[in-house]
C-alpha cells in the first residue's frame, strides 16, 4: 500500500529497535530521521520534528526496524515467466510480468537485488525513474553460455550460430547469449555492458534447469573465461559464474572470477581455496521442493545439488568464506513467493544475527564489486546508519530471536521504505 509519502519528504520513524545490518544487537528506543532518500540520523534521543514544516512522523511502537532485504541471485524475468511464456508469449507480456513481479518482490521487503540473467536493465531504469515500484537492481543482462552449456536454450535440432544458424528465442529477448571462442565471448561480454550490465554472468558447468549438460561438465576454456574477466575488468567490474563442481570452480578462480554462484557440489579443499583467495561464494539454501522438474533427469540433478547445501555452508563458515545469499528461482512464477521462505531458511545454517547480516550488509558488500557500474554508489546499501540509503522494514516481532518472521512478510512487515519512499504502511 503506497502512502503518498515521497522521497523528498522528511520522515521520522519514532520509538523503534534498530538493527543496523552490522551489529548483533539492536539500538533500542531510537528515532530514525529520513530525508531526501537517505538516513540522516539514528538517535537514542528524540529527534526534533514539526509537522507544520512537512515532517511526517511514524510511531514505530517499539517494533524492530532493519535494513531492506537483498537477494544476490534473482532472475526477475525468469521469476515472472515460465518456459512456455518465453517460447510462445508476446515479448510485451514478458516485460509486463517482470514489472509486476518486481513490485511483488519489493512488497516482500526486498529493496535491492542482483539479477543474474535476463533483460533487467530497462526495468531497472523504469524503477529508478519512479515510473514503477520495485527493488534496486544490479543487472547482469543475458547469461553467457557456450553451445550445449547451461544457458543454451535452443532446441536440439537448431543449428548453432557458428554454423550459420539463428539465435534462439531466449537470445532474441536478451535472456541468454550463446558465444563460442574468445572473439565471440569478448563480444558477448561487451554487449551486456553496452546494455547496462553492472556485472557479467557466465555459465561454467551443468545445471538442473538446463537441457543438455550433465552436472559434471566443464564449460568454457580457461582462455575464454580469462577473456570475459579482462573485458569486465576493463569496464571496472567483475565476472560471476554459475558452477557447482570442484573442477569448474578451480578453473573459474584461476581465470580471475570474483563470485562463484552456487558451488553446492564443492569439496572441502575447494571451499578452503575459495576462502584463501577472497573469492565470493554466492549460495542458495536449496531444498528439493524449491524447484519442480517433471523430467527425471533434471529432477535427479536437482536432488544431487540440494544434498550438498548443508556441507558446503559448514565448510564456508569453517574457512571464513565471504558468503552471499540468493534464491535462483526460475521459470516457475508460482514459486516466486518462496523467496521469503528461503531467506528464513538461512537460519538453519547460521545464527539469526549472521543470517540477517548476510541478507543486508553482507550481500551489499558483494554488490559493491561492481565499482563505478554501481549506480547506487552515492550511499551505503544494506545498513541503517547516518548517510545510508533509506531502505528499511519495520517488523512486528524480533527476527534476531525468530528468523521465521521474515518468511511471512505480508503479515509481519508493517512498514516498508525504499529510498525514503513509504511503499507499505500498515501501522
Amino acid at each position: 500500500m503506497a502512502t503518498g509519502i515521497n522521497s523528498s519528504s522528511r520522515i521520522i520513524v519514532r520509538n523503534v529497535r534498530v538493527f543496523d545490518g552490522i551489529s548483533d544487537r539492536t539500538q533500542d528506543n531510537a528515532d530514525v530521521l529520513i530525508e531526501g532518500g537517505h538516513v540522516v540520523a539514528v538517535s537514542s534521543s528524540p529527534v526534533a520534528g514539526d509537522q507544520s514544516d512537512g515532517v511526517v512522523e511514524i510511531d514505530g511502537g517499539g517494533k524492530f526496524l532493519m535494513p531492506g532485504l537483498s537477494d544476490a541471485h534473482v532472475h526477475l524475468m525468469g521469476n515472472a515467466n515460465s518456459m512456455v511464456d518465453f517460447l510462445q508469449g508476446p515479448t510485451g507480456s514478458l516485460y509486463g510480468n517482470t514489472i509486476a513481479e518486481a513490485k511483488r518482490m519489493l512488497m516482500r521487503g526486498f529493496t535491492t537485488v542482483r539479477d543474474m540473467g535476463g533483460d533487467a536493465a530497462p526495468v531497472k531504469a523504469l524503477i529508478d525513474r519512479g515510473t514503477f515500484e520495485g527493488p534496486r537492481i544490479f543487472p547482469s543482462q543475458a547469461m553467457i553460455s557456450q553451445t550445449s552449456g547451461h544457458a543454451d536454450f535452443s532446441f536440439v535440432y537448431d543449428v548453432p550460430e557458428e554454423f550459420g544458424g539463428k539465435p534462439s528465442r531466449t537470445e532474441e529477448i536478451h535472456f541468454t547469449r550463446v558465444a563460442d571462442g574468445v572473439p565471440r565471448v569478448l563480444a558477448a561480454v561487451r554487449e551486456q555492458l553496452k546494455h547496462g550490465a553492472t556485472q557479467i554472468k557466465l555459465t561454467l558447468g551443468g545445471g538442473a534447469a538446463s537441457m543438455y549438460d550433465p552436472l559434471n561438465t566443464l564449460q568454457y576454456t580457461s582462455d575464454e573465461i580469462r577473456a570475459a574477466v579482462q573485458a569486465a575488468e576493463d569496464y571496472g567490474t567483475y565476472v560471476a559464474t554459475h558452477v557447482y563442481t570442484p573442477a569448474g570452480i578451480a578453473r573459474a578462480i584461476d581465470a580471475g572470477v570474483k563470485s562463484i554462484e552456487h558451488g553446492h557440489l564443492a569439496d572441502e579443499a575447494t571451499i578452503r581455496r575459495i576462502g584463501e583467495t577472497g573469492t565470493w561464494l554466492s549460495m542458495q539454501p536449496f531444498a528439493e521442493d524449491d524447484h519442480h522438474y517433471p523430467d527425471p533427469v533434471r529432477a535427479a540433478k536437482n536432488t544431487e545439488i540440494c544434498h550438498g547445501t548443508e556441507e558446503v555452508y559448514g565448510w564456508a563458515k569453517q574457512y571464513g568464506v565471504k558468503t552471499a545469499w540468493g534464491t535462483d528461482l526460475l521459470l516457475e512464477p508460482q514459486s516466486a513467493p518462496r523467496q521469503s521462505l528461503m531467506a528464513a531458511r538461512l537460519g538453519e545454517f547460521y545464527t539469526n544475527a549472521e543470517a540477517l547480516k548476510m541478507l543486508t550488509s553482507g550481500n551489499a558488500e558483494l554488490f559493491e564489486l561492481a565499482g563505478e557500474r554501481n549506480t547506487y554508489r552515492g550511499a551505503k546499501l544494506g545498513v541503517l546508519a547516518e548517510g545510508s540509503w533509506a531502505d528499511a522494514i519495520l517488523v512486528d516481532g524480533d527476527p534476531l530471536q525468530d528468523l521465521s518472521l521474515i518468511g511471512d512478510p505480508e503479515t509481519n512487515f508493517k512498514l516498508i521504505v525504499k529510498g525514503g519512499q513509504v511503499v507499505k504502511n500498515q501501522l
Side-chain angles (χ1 to χ4, degrees):
M1 179 179 65
T3 66
I5 301 172
N6 60 45
S7 59
S8 63
S9 301
R10 298 183 72 230
I11 302 170
I12 302 174
V13 185
R14 296 198 182 279
N15 184 25
V16 288
R17 299 176 56 222
V18 175
F19 170 72
D20 63 5
I22 300 172
S23 304
D24 291 341
R25 300 178 180 178
T26 58
Q27 180 178 342
D28 297 343
N29 303 314
D31 285 2
V32 177
L33 175 62
I34 295 169
E35 185 172 3
H38 299 89
V39 175
V40 176
V42 179
S43 175
S44 297
S45 302
V47 173
D50 185 345
Q51 292 186 5
S52 64
D53 293 333
V55 175
V56 176
E57 297 194 26
I58 299 173
D59 183 3
K63 293 180 172 61
F64 187 98
L65 189 73
M66 62 176 286
L69 297 169
S70 61
D71 189 328
H73 196 122
V74 304
H75 296 275
L76 267 170
M77 184 171 279
N79 269 39
N81 294 281
S82 68
M83 182 57 79
V84 172
D85 294 327
F86 276 120
L87 298 180
Q88 299 181 2
T91 303
S93 294
L94 296 174
Y95 287 93
N97 291 339
T98 301
I99 289 168
E101 174 56 26
K103 171 67 176 290
R104 291 190 291 267
M105 197 171 284
L106 179 61
M107 291 301 102
R108 293 195 287 270
F110 289 91
T111 55
T112 305
V113 299
R114 188 177 63 145
D115 191 287
M116 299 310 290
D119 193 17
V123 178
K124 165 189 165 63
L126 291 169
I127 292 171
D128 290 349
R129 196 179 301 149
T131 306
F132 296 104
E133 290 185 316
R136 304 176 191 275
I137 302 174
F138 286 78
S140 302
Q141 291 305 101
M143 297 180 279
I144 302 173
S145 169
Q146 69 174 40
T147 298
S148 80
H150 178 64
D152 181 355
F153 285 7
S154 64
F155 294 111
V156 70
Y157 49 76
D158 288 334
V159 177
E161 277 193 86
E162 283 287 323
F163 305 130
K166 296 180 179 180
S168 66
R169 168 62 172 160
T170 58
E171 290 183 83
E172 291 176 346
I173 59 174
H174 309 299
F175 188 67
T176 64
R177 170 61 72 199
V178 174
D180 295 297
V182 167
R184 282 186 176 267
V185 168
L186 286 171
V189 170
R190 291 164 179 164
E191 177 190 35
Q192 308 324 309
L193 293 166
K194 180 175 72 173
H195 289 171
T198 53
Q199 64 283 320
I200 296 299
K201 165 77 173 296
L202 294 184
T203 61
L204 303 189
S210 42
M211 296 182 282
Y212 309 121
D213 50 351
L215 289 174
N216 62 355
T217 57
L218 285 169
Q219 299 174 17
Y220 276 132
T221 66
S222 296
D223 287 344
E224 289 170 316
I225 304 168
R226 288 192 185 97
V229 167
Q230 182 66 64
E233 289 181 348
D234 286 347
Y235 254 65
T237 187
Y238 68 99
V239 170
T241 55
H242 162 104
V243 62
Y244 287 105
T245 64
I249 293 169
R251 183 176 288 187
I253 293 174
D254 289 343
V257 165
K258 299 298 185 186
S259 178
I260 302 299
E261 306 298 313
H262 313 315
H264 295 67
L265 303 182
D267 56 22
E268 183 175 1
T270 299
I271 299 301
R272 183 192 303 117
R273 187 178 180 215
I274 290 173
E276 290 171 348
T277 56
T279 308
W280 277 86
L281 177 64
S282 176
M283 273 277 285
Q284 304 77 36
F286 286 143
E288 287 190 53
D289 59 353
D290 288 330
H291 301 90
H292 303 91
Y293 298 109
D295 172 8
V297 173
R298 281 186 272 183
K301 290 195 287 185
N302 181 56
T303 297
E304 184 177 352
I305 290 165
C306 292
H307 284 180
T309 301
E310 183 173 2
E311 200 166 42
V312 170
Y313 270 133
W315 289 328
K317 292 180 67 175
Q318 180 180 347
Y319 294 110
V321 174
K322 293 187 291 188
T323 307
W325 171 89
T327 49
D328 194 33
L329 296 167
L330 186 65
L331 302 177
E332 297 177 353
Q334 70 278 8
S335 297
R338 295 186 71 86
Q339 183 181 35
S340 300
L341 298 175
M342 291 179 71
R345 191 186 300 152
L346 194 57
E348 297 178 14
F349 310 99
Y350 292 87
T351 68
N352 293 348
E354 289 171 336
L356 287 177
K357 286 188 281 187
M358 191 183 299
L359 290 162
T360 54
S361 64
N363 278 354
E365 184 181 347
L366 170 58
F367 302 159
E368 289 172 0
L369 291 184
E372 292 190 3
R373 303 283 72 76
N374 171 14
T375 60
Y376 311 116
R377 64 186 182 276
K380 292 287 290 183
L381 290 166
V383 298
L384 281 181
E386 183 178 337
S388 69
W389 287 112
D391 302 338
I393 305 167
L394 191 67
V395 186
D396 190 6
D398 186 350
L400 285 172
Q401 299 300 318
D402 181 7
L403 195 63
S404 70
L405 291 167
I406 67 175
D408 185 4
E410 183 176 359
T411 301
N412 299 319
F413 292 176
K414 300 303 182 183
L415 180 75
I416 299 174
V417 179
K418 181 206 159 192
Q421 172 79 45
V422 177
V423 296
K424 177 182 178 180
N425 186 357
Q426 293 184 339
L427 295 174

